[in-house]
């Protein structure tokens, strides 16, 4: 006598996932189940094949097939608050040009990246740059919290008078020999 013992149908709800707040994700159960039983944070008992999730939690699906075999999988879904990019900057004239220092005041942030015209780049809460030529320059802050992103940019105008040093020599020699 040969016995044919059915085995449960293996399935996966996918990898653990991070999303932005106010997003949602559909979790798909496998086709061919006779019954579906979802459980998890923030969901009432649900017996549909697929569910839509919009809050952080651990979600499990138990599937019973036509042979009465039960399969189970669990996935963690994380919803992150979106950052709100914000910063201020100061300008200070000096001997080598105009020093710009920008400071982020962004909330809900895990990483900040600064870019801009005139070669500005930096990572972190602050960025400094010296402008040596008059003009209008762009400064961009990209703020991340997980995979949630927000950006803020501004135009910084450096005038010719801003490039004049604060200190002027008190001795001028007409022939330039320093005597």
């Amino acid at each position: 006598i040969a016995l044919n013992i059915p085995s449960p149908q293996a399935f996966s709800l996918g990898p653990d996932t991070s999303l932005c707040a106010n997003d949602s994700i559909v979790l798909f159960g496998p086709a061919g189940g006779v019954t579906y039983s979802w459980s998890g944070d923030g969901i009432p008992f649900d017996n549909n094949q697929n569910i839509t999730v919009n809050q952080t939690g651990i979600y499990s699906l138990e599937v019973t097939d036509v042979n009465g075999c039960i399969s189970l999988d669990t996935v963690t879904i994380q919803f992150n608050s979106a950052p709100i990019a914000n910063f201020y900057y100061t300008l200070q004239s000096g001997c080598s040009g105009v020093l710009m220092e920008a400071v982020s005041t962004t909330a809900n942030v895990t990483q900040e990246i600064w870019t801009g015209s005139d070669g500005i780049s930096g990572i972190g809460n602050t960025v400094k740059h010296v402008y040596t030529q008059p003009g209008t320059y762009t400064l961009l802050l990209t703020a991340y919290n997980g995979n949630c992103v927000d950006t803020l940019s501004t135009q910084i105008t450096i005038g010719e008078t801003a490039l004049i040093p604060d200190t002027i020599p008190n001795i001028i020699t007409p022939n330039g020999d320093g005597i």
Side-chain angles (χ1 to χ4, degrees), residues 29-112:
V34 174
T35 63
Y36 299 89
S37 178
W38 289 93
S39 61
D41 301 328
I43 62 169
F45 172 78
D46 195 312
N47 60 2
N48 292 308
Q49 180 180 352
N50 308 318
I51 62 167
T52 300
V53 173
N54 60 12
Q55 62 184 15
T56 295
I58 299 171
Y59 297 90
S60 297
L61 174 60
E62 184 177 280
V63 179
T64 304
D65 67 17
V66 295
N67 298 311
C69 296
I70 297 174
S71 299
L72 176 71
D73 192 33
T74 300
V75 66
T76 300
I77 306 297
Q78 175 72 42
F79 288 90
N80 297 315
S81 298
I84 301 170
N86 197 21
F87 66 88
Y88 65 90
Y89 68 91
T90 58
L91 299 174
Q92 181 178 352
S93 295
C95 293
S96 59
V98 176
L99 172 65
M100 180 278 306
E101 181 176 9
V103 178
S104 171
T105 58
T106 302
N108 301 321
V109 64
T110 56
Q111 183 179 30
E112 296 163 301

Side-chain angles (χ1 to χ4, degrees), residues 109-146:
V109 64
T110 56
Q111 183 179 30
E112 296 163 301
I113 298 176
W114 301 89
T115 56
S117 54
D118 200 41
I120 298 171
S121 68
I123 296 174
N125 184 261
T126 63
V127 68
K128 293 180 180 181
H129 184 75
V130 176
Y131 295 102
T132 59
Q133 298 294 317
T136 300
Y137 301 93
T138 301
L139 178 61
L140 173 70
L141 171 62
T142 304
Y144 296 88
N145 186 10

Side-chain angles (χ1 to χ4, degrees), residues 1 4 16 18 22 39 42 59 63 92 98 105 122 134-135 149 165 172 174:
I1 296 177
N4 184 9
D16 292 348
S18 290
N22 300 322
S39 61
Y59 297 90
V63 179
Q92 181 178 352
V98 176
T105 58
V149 179
I172 298 175

